[in-house]
Amino acid sequence: MNKRTKGDLLLDISVYLFLIVLALVMLLPLANVFSKSVSEEWAIISGKVGILPIGFQLDTLKEVVSSAMFLRAFGISVGVTVVGTVLSIILTALTAYPLSKRNLPGISFLMVLFIFTMLFSGGLIPSYLLMRELHLINNLWVLILPGMISVFNMLVIKSYYESLPEALEESARIDGAKTYTVLFRIILPLSMPVLATIALFYAVGYWNDYFGPMIYINDTALKTLQLYLQDVVMDASAANVTNKSVDDLMNMSPEGIRAATVVASTVPILCVYPFVQKYFIKGVLIGSVKG
């Protein structure tokens, strides 16, 4: 058994310190925003709220989540995320399966085409003109169709398929199973770890997408949650944010409204992570390294 040296110990300490600092850099701003969303208004206005909340109230959060504009933007983002994730994971899994077969005619040429699209794109203006010609401007499908298949995610699933024993398929075919039976009853059930991980990647991508809606969505009624958050951050008036009268909001600060809106829009996607966390590390490692 190798004895750990002082250099190994120093390296471990350095790595842990780096990870702790990195975690603090990411967590402290979130803690500050959360504290502002539940702190008393006088503490927010006077700038005394730091990492921990001062006082406790949920009135601001209640006003935010009951706002008609917030609920509409929230519903649109949820719809785009759910539909986009389901369609993306189906198409990506189905695309990766034939490409995992080394005896597929023309597989090298097809892989070159996929890799090319991953490395190069048409650019912003050609993409916008294409979406306009397809009549997708101010259409929510424009937020789903262009990014429906990620080549990187497809390659991860393809590598996972290739890591499965070929004897599984051979046994099924000897028993009379056809291609679709093998795929849907053997391959896909065994691929749940990587599919759950890739589904999380897609869901986070659709939920956090800001650039696409900003470019392609001009209709106020179709604004996603990210565009709504932009309005919240840019607009200093709490009355405009929550669509309430100034008299109703005289005890609420715009900064508290902003913090409550950010918390209300962040919590849903954070709640998804625990359900796929058990698949996350296993899915990424197995899918990215050939056995």
Side-chain angles (χ1 to χ4, degrees):
M1 183 176 180
N2 296 329
K3 186 177 181 180
R4 294 180 60 81
T5 64
K6 291 183 179 179
D8 295 334
L9 181 61
L10 183 62
L11 178 62
D12 290 346
I13 294 175
S14 301
V15 170
Y16 278 113
L17 287 177
F18 174 76
L19 293 177
I20 291 173
V21 172
L22 186 63
L24 290 176
V25 167
M26 292 185 287
L27 292 177
L28 289 181
L30 290 176
N32 177 254
V33 171
F34 176 77
S35 297
K36 286 181 178 178
S37 68
V38 297
S39 294
E40 298 290 346
E41 293 300 325
W42 66 266
I44 300 174
I45 296 173
S46 59
K48 294 184 177 180
V49 180
I51 304 304
L52 299 176
I54 297 179
F56 184 78
Q57 55 83 25
L58 295 176
D59 293 341
T60 310
L61 272 173
K62 291 178 181 177
E63 289 293 341
V64 167
V65 298
S66 62
S67 166
M69 292 185 294
F70 175 84
L71 293 177
R72 182 175 58 197
F74 184 86
I76 290 174
S77 285
V78 169
V80 169
T81 300
V82 172
V83 175
T85 301
V86 171
L87 293 178
S88 293
I89 198 65
I90 291 174
L91 292 180
T92 305
L94 295 181
T95 304
Y97 182 66
L99 294 177
S100 66
K101 305 303 175 187
R102 295 183 177 87
N103 57 352
L104 179 71
I107 185 173
S108 299
F109 177 71
L110 292 175
M111 287 305 302
V112 169
L113 291 181
F114 276 105
I115 298 297
F116 184 85
T117 61
M118 185 175 69
L119 300 178
F120 303 98
S121 66
L124 177 60
I125 294 178
S127 298
Y128 181 85
L129 295 177
L130 175 62
M131 295 301 119
R132 190 182 66 177
E133 292 300 317
L134 294 174
H135 305 287
L136 289 175
I137 302 300
N138 284 327
N139 188 323
L140 292 180
W141 282 107
V142 77
L143 306 180
I144 298 175
L145 295 178
M148 189 170 287
I149 294 181
S150 164
V151 176
F152 175 81
N153 293 336
M154 186 272 291
L155 292 177
V156 173
I157 297 178
K158 171 180 171 293
S159 298
Y160 187 91
Y161 289 159
E162 292 174 344
S163 69
L164 297 176
E166 294 183 5
L168 285 173
E169 291 192 38
E170 293 174 356
S171 301
R173 293 186 186 280
I174 291 174
D175 292 338
K178 302 298 183 183
T179 300
Y180 289 106
T181 304
V182 172
L183 175 61
F184 288 103
R185 301 189 64 177
I186 297 177
I187 301 300
L188 292 183
L190 291 174
S191 305
M192 287 307 297
V194 71
L195 294 180
T197 304
I198 297 302
L200 178 64
F201 288 167
Y202 276 125
V204 173
Y206 282 117
W207 183 266
N208 290 333
D209 186 18
Y210 166 74
F211 190 72
M214 183 183 68
I215 297 298
Y216 300 122
I217 301 296
N218 302 316
D219 190 345
T220 305
L222 297 178
K223 281 188 174 182
T224 63
L225 194 57
Q226 302 306 320
L227 291 183
Y228 175 75
L229 283 176
Q230 181 198 29
D231 293 341
V232 171
V233 173
M234 300 298 293
D235 195 337
S237 170
N240 290 336
V241 169
T242 61
N243 206 24
K244 301 285 185 180
S245 67
V246 176
D247 292 337
D248 294 335
L249 296 167
M250 58 185 305
N251 294 323
M252 294 184 181
S253 67
E255 192 170 356
I257 294 289
R258 293 191 190 101
T261 306
V262 171
V263 171
S265 60
T266 306
V267 168
I269 195 65
L270 292 179
C271 293
V272 174
Y273 182 77
F275 294 99
V276 296
Q277 190 270 339
K278 62 180 180 181
Y279 301 114
F280 194 78
I281 297 177
K282 183 180 178 182
V284 171
L285 290 180
I286 295 178
S288 58
V289 180
K290 289 185 178 180

